[in-house]
Amino acid sequence: MEINDLTPAEARVWRAFATGTHVDFRTADDEDPAGGGSWGPERTVRAGVLRALLLDGPRQEGEVAALSLAGARVTGSLELQYATVEHPVRLRHCHFEETPRLYAARLREVNLSESALPGLIAHAVRVEGVLRLTRARFSGMVRLGGAEVTGSLYLESTDLHAPDTEGPVLQLNQAVLGADLWAPGLRARGEVRLTGARVAGTVNLADAVLDRPDGTALHAETLAAEADVLLRQAEVRGRLEFRGARIPGRLDLSMARLSHPGGTALRASSTVIGTLNLRRAQVDVLFVEPEAVPDWVQLNDLAYTSLIPHEPAERRLPMLELGESYLPFTYEQLTAAYRRIGDDDAARRVQLAKQRRRRRTLPWYGRLWGHLQDVTVGYGFRPLRAGGWLLSLLAIGSVAYGLDHPAPLKPAEAPDFDPVFYTLDLLLPVISFGQENAFAPEGGHQTLAYLLIITGWILATTVITGLTRTVSRQ
């Protein structure tokens, strides 16, 4: 293409290319490129001119050539299929009338941030650097399946809406990213597909809005992320699909809102997760296989109505012990889930585990008293233990005093000695059978009497404490 064939706007871009000078056609910083279809010839550049620059543009010795353009209306289709482009491509705040085609191209840095485009076709593209689509608006599909980006892919606050097309609105299946998929605030009306993608860094979808209520909103089956997958405060209408994904860091869903009427909102079967963060999340039905729980789980204020599949409490409790701190709310949620299905025994086991976990947070004297309550009556959730202790001590006292009767204090007034009721008199703090005050044991039998009295008071106190706790729970 000869320089004489160029319009004044194109000639300006052509001259700036050799030195990498930035050309900005905008008349105001807050211009909306979505309305760029009405921009005149003074800021219109043909896609063919941009292609000619990138493939065989002018050079200037000692300078780094680059296409750096803002605020232009790009007419025609930017065709770079299979092309090798050695220069940075920065087309920000631009309005594209046709979809750029970068299929299997080899590019340096690509920046289409804040631009309005009818779509992007870039299957199998390779970008030696970063690919920036920050705050771009797409009215068609973004196809990056099989793409390879040695740096990060930026999609912060990017808007994807393709109402007239079928298939995912964003295709990143089998893509390979050398750093992060950075997309906080992403807005996608349609499916986002990350099937089989490999991300060497973090997948950040915090504050994202993923809207596909009639199907899968995020398809991340067999996703391999080397760090975290963040969906904090995200709003997802549709299914989150993480089957077979590998996430050695965190899967963070704290404060996220997930909804998929009539279907599963989150599926993570056969997923390997390092840390699962469900803080302040709200779920109607939570499906968790005990063996699939990662080594670190954060469940602060997680609210769920039911937990499936139904498992014994012993299989569920280890999940509550994975965090460093004692979180009473997690035990209450699990207790409530068991009570809703009528498994009261499992609910009591969870409450007993809660008291034992709480005991570790107390000072030494609190832990000592907790151990006494646990051994004697299981914190009130094992009341039959008190009966067992009582019968055992009753047998010991009855045998000891039956073999060697204590002497009566007043032989003329003393009732007939009964070792069983004498032992009961010592054990029961309130009830009196008239035996304790009528006889005086000596030596080792006196020591045994003191032990029976002290043990009786401990048993009575722990039973009352446990029963009070149980009644208050009801």
Side-chain angles (χ1 to χ4, degrees):
M1 179 174 291
E2 297 293 337
I3 190 69
N4 295 333
D5 296 333
L6 303 178
T7 66
E10 294 169 344
R12 181 180 170 188
V13 175
W14 191 278
R15 288 191 298 270
F17 176 82
T19 57
T21 302
H22 181 60
V23 176
D24 192 345
F25 288 121
R26 291 179 296 167
T27 58
D29 291 340
D30 58 351
E31 275 188 343
D32 185 0
S38 61
W39 293 343
E42 73 282 356
R43 53 192 304 185
T44 298
V45 178
R46 289 168 290 172
V49 174
L50 301 181
R51 182 178 186 275
L53 273 174
L54 293 172
L55 297 181
D56 193 24
R59 309 289 191 275
Q60 183 170 322
E61 187 175 353
E63 299 290 345
V64 178
L67 176 59
S68 184
L69 177 61
R73 177 166 70 103
V74 180
T75 59
S77 177
L78 181 57
E79 303 280 350
L80 291 172
Q81 298 98 316
Y82 302 103
T84 297
V85 178
E86 300 293 340
H87 317 290
V89 180
R90 305 183 187 107
L91 297 169
R92 301 182 59 192
H93 304 280
C94 292
H95 176 89
F96 289 79
E97 293 193 344
E98 297 186 30
T99 300
R101 299 179 179 274
L102 312 180
Y103 179 83
R106 298 295 180 262
L107 305 162
R108 296 291 184 182
E109 174 194 350
V110 178
N111 190 341
L112 301 176
S113 299
E114 291 92 17
S115 294
L117 305 95
L120 177 63
I121 298 176
H123 295 88
V125 69
R126 177 177 173 84
V127 179
E128 298 284 350
V130 298
L131 174 55
R132 294 184 182 273
L133 304 175
T134 301
R135 291 182 292 279
R137 279 176 284 177
F138 292 92
S139 57
M141 300 171 65
V142 176
R143 301 179 180 181
L144 289 165
E148 184 176 351
V149 181
T150 61
S152 296
L153 169 58
Y154 292 95
L155 290 162
E156 308 106 302
S157 302
T158 300
D159 187 88
L160 304 167
H161 187 203
D164 300 326
T165 59
E166 297 182 359
V169 67
L170 173 60
Q171 294 181 1
L172 279 166
N173 44 297
Q174 310 303 323
V176 178
L177 305 183
D180 301 322
L181 172 55
W182 203 256
L186 173 71
R187 301 292 186 268
R189 282 161 282 183
E191 180 184 338
V192 174
R193 180 168 293 178
L194 293 173
T195 308
R198 289 185 291 158
V199 181
T202 295
V203 177
N204 187 351
L205 290 164
D207 297 300
V209 176
L210 309 179
D211 190 7
R212 192 176 180 234
D214 57 345
T216 300
L218 176 62
H219 198 158
E221 189 173 352
T222 67
L223 166 70
E226 296 301 321
D228 304 326
V229 175
L230 309 178
L231 282 153
R232 290 194 297 258
Q233 294 183 308
E235 183 175 345
V236 182
R237 293 183 288 270
R239 183 167 65 244
L240 285 178
E241 180 63 77
F242 282 104
R243 284 185 300 174
R246 183 172 61 84
I247 306 169
R250 291 176 295 158
L251 174 56
D252 192 341
L253 292 162
S254 55
M255 294 175 282
R257 288 173 289 177
L258 312 181
S259 65
H260 187 203
T264 301
L266 170 63
R267 181 182 295 172
S269 55
S270 304
T271 300
V272 178
I273 302 173
T275 299
L276 179 60
N277 187 346
L278 293 171
R279 292 181 298 175
R280 291 183 288 278
Q282 293 186 354
V283 182
D284 185 18
V285 179
L286 182 61
F287 184 100
V288 178
E289 294 281 4
E291 59 272 12
V293 176
D295 295 333
W296 187 266
V297 182
Q298 293 181 323
L299 300 171
N300 314 40
D301 298 323
L302 167 66
Y304 54 88
T305 302
S306 59
L307 182 63
I308 58 175
H310 178 64
E311 296 280 355
E314 292 80 1
R315 295 259 292 158
R316 292 295 186 190
L317 285 170
M319 181 174 69
L320 309 186
E321 301 286 339
L322 294 174
E324 291 182 353
S325 58
Y326 163 60
L327 301 172
F329 181 82
T330 61
Y331 292 89
E332 295 301 323
Q333 281 286 288
L334 185 55
T335 298
Y338 278 124
R339 284 177 175 161
R340 286 189 188 99
I341 61 175
D343 195 342
D344 292 331
D345 181 65
R348 286 191 293 269
R349 290 177 184 273
V350 175
Q351 284 295 300
L352 177 57
K354 173 189 173 185
Q355 294 301 324
R356 289 172 175 169
R357 180 68 178 84
R358 174 180 175 272
R359 186 172 67 209
R360 301 206 295 266
T361 68
L362 301 176
W364 69 267
Y365 50 85
R367 294 195 299 272
L368 178 60
W369 177 241
H371 279 294
L372 284 173
Q373 292 188 75
D374 194 357
V375 171
T376 53
V377 294
Y379 285 97
F381 300 103
R382 298 288 184 268
L384 292 180
R385 286 186 185 177
W389 281 104
L390 182 63
L391 290 175
S392 300
L393 295 172
L394 179 61
I396 293 172
S398 299
V399 172
Y401 294 119
L403 294 175
D404 186 5
H405 294 186
L409 292 174
K410 296 179 180 180
E413 300 177 6
D416 293 336
F417 180 77
D418 188 310
V420 175
F421 283 96
Y422 180 74
T423 305
L424 283 174
D425 251 354
L426 296 173
L427 285 171
L428 302 177
V430 179
I431 300 174
S432 176
F433 295 101
Q435 294 278 320
E436 179 184 359
N437 296 328
F439 298 91
E442 296 179 352
H445 285 178
Q446 187 176 26
T447 302
L448 177 60
Y450 292 152
L451 290 175
L452 290 174
I453 291 172
I454 293 172
T455 306
W457 274 105
I458 292 175
L459 278 173
T461 305
T462 53
V463 167
I464 292 172
T465 302
L467 289 177
T468 300
R469 183 183 296 112
T470 302
V471 171
S472 66
R473 294 295 309 165
Q474 304 300 323

